[in-house]
Amino acid sequence: MAEKVMVKGNEAMGEAAVRAGCRLYFGYPITPQSELTEYMSRRLPEVEGTFLQSESEVAAVNMIYGAASTGTRVMTSTSSPGFSLMQEGISYIAGAELPSVFINVVRGGPGLGDIQPAQSDYFQGTKGGGHGDYHLIVLAPSSVQEAVDLVQLAFDLADKYRNPVLVLADGMLGQMMEPVEFPEFRDLNTLPDHSSWAMQGCEGREPHKITSFDIDPINLEKMNLGYQKKYREIEANEVRYETEMIEDAEYLLVGYGTMARILGTVVKMARNEGIKVGLFRPITLWPFPYKELESAAEGKKALLTVEMSMGQMVEDVRLAINGKMHVDFYGRTGGVVPTPEEVLRELKKIVERSE
Amino acid sequence: MSENILIAAGFGGQGVMLLGQILATAAMYDNKHSTWLPSYGPEMRGGTANCTVVISDELIGSPVTDSPGELIIMNIPSLLKFEPALKEDGLLILNTSVVDRAPQRKDVEVVKIDANKIAEEIGNTKISNMVMLGAYLEKTGAVTVESVEKALRKKLTGKKAALIELNLKAIEAGMKLARK
Amino acid sequence: MAAKAIFKKPQSLSDKEFTYCPGCHHGIVHRLVAEVIDELGIQGKTLMVAPVGCSVFAYTFFDVDGTVAAHGRAPAVATGMKRAMPDKVVFTYQGDGDLAAIGTAEIIHAANRGEKITTIFINNAIYGMTGGQMAPTTLLGMKTTTSPYGREVDREGYPIHVSEVLKELSGVAYLERVAVSSPAEVRKAKQAIKKAFMTQIKGLGFSLVEVLSTCPTNWGLSPIEAINWLNENMKKEYPLGVFVDKVGELK
């Protein structure tokens, strides 16, 4: 067993990427994820990798496009305003089907907002974000250890589906320290071979052309149908979620990321007071575990979704429940993190109403 | 199940962040679960800084709390901010070298430590945080002293390694004071 | 006696027919770039980044690995490629709307970093593909579909001199402004393009060749008139010449 180390979330995600075989990072400093950029700047040279601080997030995402089009593992990390700037490039990357990994350590918005933890970039991450019909695979870790594991998974999914993958964290996860066990270093020789499509020079073969572009509508539609076919496959194979004490539960809490671990504490506190409550935690936000949530909610008296936003994932929760029951929502925003005590009070109101 | 939820707070530069990190790391060496969550942002530069440390035998849910069981308070603004939130029968460790007023709460245990003075006697006012940590260890037994030492050795490397012995002395002095 | 081929399409150009208007200089410049790639023997290791604009299809006209960048971002895309594959030859092909307006930040910083890439910059003082709107390079007094009364300093400011700006950046290793309005100029332009690619191959830094080009369609002139207009007006605003040369004589 590997030794446990105490690491900050931001740095842990950087190390996880290095161990996943990522040797290329392009990014721009922004709070609360700058430790990740800084970490890569000192770590990548140690493993003969390349770190480049770009002139902007706009440039960074296009550097990702360039590097990814050569079939090389590559990543960037940023926080909300920076992720907004990257949307143009991400749309191109999704259209050109380039494997790449993005980490958004979300902070309060909109606009300049603040630098405290938030979950108000859910729509942006899961519903497209930029122009066109596309999806990122979106993974939401709730602990530093899970962030490490999901960063690794992110690279593998990106390669498997030739699709950009987003790890949606928040300022709390980026800043907090927790004991972590890192996986072994990936042997670079075992990384997927992308030579059948990537731009690596046309010596001895026909030139490869990579683009999100086709001026002919019929052809562009065909390209889009191709993306959609891939998305259906991802929906069928890659849904991930976790539940806690839902079997005998009368009430269900739904949350993701660090909010979900706070809800884990609420479950314990509530059960100590005799309230039978369970937790449903989507790990993939896209694809969202619609069916799994629908069956988890079956027979429950009420369902409470809690987010560090004014209600974004709750729309997917309502789609999953499809009108079969009332879905309550509680959220704090602007960087305010709901405490377990606060959520428990909300839960009790619902219990009172439902008894 | 044992669980400790601590908020350590003071001015930037008093070392409350390091105190919390050492504690959380020591918990890891004790094979416990732990989280360290800092306040971050502009206040880091000279204003008030605080961190929340949770130590538990079980997987930790929330790394944030409205009602800490323990407080380490290094300045007056932190006392005003966090004293009301402390749990009933909670523990309040106060650095009286800086905080020259008495806490209001009567339903909690207050431990007063003249941390700066003791630190100075040992040789460096900067280690007042470790005096406070010593008092905390004595009162709670949240982690073992051996693990704290291991965490210090892990954290203080290079030039800072020379300070390890001084830090350990400060912890010992804090423990002694809290024993009284 | 069997016929002897004395003029061939360069190997690095594909069989696809150009989509450019009659009299447009893109075709000439494409050919020059392809000839240089052939002569340097780098077709198999060249990666191309096309822009958004009339030359958006350029990645299909060259028989090398190619892609299209978002508008203005080609230097960033090329940076990513070159950093991932330092032994490849990476070039961008960009117009003045792409490079000098929306892509100003990307070109300045790629040049300043001394990014080991080559940029072919087509300056025709107008937006071509979108239908003749004002570019940052549009001359004063010039009428376009978004400066219908002629470009005025008070309203739109001055034409931007990209090469004169870039020459101040230490990362630039080769920089020349050329034209392709006469056979002699074409020969000179080819030499410049060759030197720019050599700059990259030798790892000296960033290289760029600015080519003054015609846009007969959007200028509303015949191809011949367009060349005359370029010679009389554009060369005054944008004098030809070598701005930076850290390569020296080619063998």
Side-chain angles (χ1 to χ4, degrees), chain A residues 32-264:
Chain A
Q33 71 77 46
S34 294
E35 294 88 354
L36 180 36
T37 311
E38 289 166 354
Y39 186 81
M40 295 310 252
S41 74
R42 59 176 190 269
R43 188 72 176 99
L44 280 173
E46 291 176 355
V47 291
E48 291 172 1
T50 299
F51 167 90
L52 182 61
Q53 181 170 327
S54 59
E55 63 269 29
S56 67
E57 287 89 348
V58 174
V61 70
N62 285 284
M63 290 171 185
I64 300 291
Y65 180 106
S69 66
T70 69
T72 312
R73 283 201 164 177
V74 63
M75 72 168 293
T76 188
S77 59
T78 185
S79 180
S80 307
F83 197 57
S84 290
L85 278 170
M86 290 182 182
Q87 293 310 315
E88 174 199 45
I90 291 174
S91 169
Y92 281 68
I93 285 169
E97 298 188 86
L98 299 174
S100 44
V101 171
F102 296 81
I103 298 177
N104 181 2
V105 181
V106 181
R107 64 187 235 185
L112 194 51
D114 63 16
I115 56 176
Q116 302 305 318
Q119 296 183 314
S120 38
D121 297 356
Y122 179 94
F123 287 150
Q124 187 187 41
T126 61
K127 307 293 178 188
H131 59 284
D133 271 333
Y134 73 89
H135 275 293
L136 309 182
I137 298 171
V138 185
L139 308 173
S142 71
S143 69
V144 178
Q145 182 67 58
E146 193 180 30
V148 166
D149 300 341
L150 291 184
V151 164
Q152 301 255 323
L153 177 67
F155 280 101
D156 288 334
L157 292 178
D159 277 327
K160 183 176 175 189
Y161 294 103
R162 282 187 61 186
N163 207 68
V165 179
L166 168 65
V167 176
L168 195 65
D170 62 65
M172 187 157 43
L173 196 63
Q175 294 296 321
M176 72 186 281
M177 286 177 110
E178 259 187 305
V180 163
E181 249 176 78
F182 283 110
E184 292 299 309
F185 285 88
R186 186 74 181 264
D187 178 354
L188 298 185
N189 295 316
T190 66
L191 295 183
D193 177 15
H194 292 308
S195 61
S196 64
W197 59 265
M199 289 175 65
Q200 300 172 341
C202 65
E203 193 70 60
R205 60 158 169 78
E206 286 299 302
H208 289 162
K209 308 293 180 184
I210 289 175
T211 170
S212 60
F213 171 61
D214 201 311
I215 204 77
D216 179 342
I218 295 296
N219 287 339
L220 187 61
E221 186 184 48
K222 261 187 211 155
M223 275 165 72
N224 267 281
L225 293 175
Y227 309 149
Q228 293 302 319
K229 196 175 157 218
K230 175 172 81 175
Y231 298 152
R232 297 297 87 78
E233 198 185 321
I234 296 170
E235 283 170 343
N237 297 327
E238 305 300 343
V239 167
R240 286 169 170 81
Y241 66 100
E242 212 176 63
T243 60
E244 225 173 276
M245 308 186 93
I246 58 165
E247 287 75 22
D248 68 334
E250 295 174 359
Y251 301 92
L252 195 60
L253 293 170
V254 187
Y256 72 93
T258 43
M259 192 61 238
R261 65 186 292 163
I262 295 172
L263 296 181

Side-chain angles (χ1 to χ4, degrees), chain B residues 102-154:
Chain B
Q104 304 296 307
R105 296 276 296 270
K106 302 294 173 209
D107 58 343
V108 299
E109 182 184 2
V110 179
V111 178
K112 294 179 179 173
I113 303 288
D114 201 350
N116 289 27
K117 193 178 146 224
I118 294 155
E120 208 174 342
E121 283 168 13
I122 295 169
N124 192 338
T125 42
K126 280 187 179 166
I127 53 172
S128 62
N129 58 342
M130 292 298 137
V131 178
M132 297 295 280
L133 177 60
Y136 177 82
L137 295 179
E138 178 65 30
K139 295 306 290 187
T140 63
V143 298
T144 61
V145 181
E146 293 72 40
S147 292
V148 170
E149 184 176 339
K150 195 174 167 188
L152 273 171
R153 293 194 187 282
K154 184 90 185 169

Side-chain angles (χ1 to χ4, degrees), chain B residues 18-30 55 129-130 133-134 136-138 140-156 164 167-172 175:
Chain B
L18 180 67
L19 183 165
Q21 285 183 11
I22 295 294
L23 185 60
T25 308
M28 176 182 78
Y29 291 136
D30 281 347
I55 299 171
N129 58 342
M130 292 298 137
L133 177 60
Y136 177 82
L137 295 179
E138 178 65 30
T140 63
V143 298
T144 61
V145 181
E146 293 72 40
S147 292
V148 170
E149 184 176 339
K150 195 174 167 188
L152 273 171
R153 293 194 187 282
K154 184 90 185 169
K155 185 80 190 174
L156 303 178
I164 291 173
N167 276 275
L168 289 171
K169 265 189 199 167
I171 289 170
E172 208 177 298
M175 293 181 79

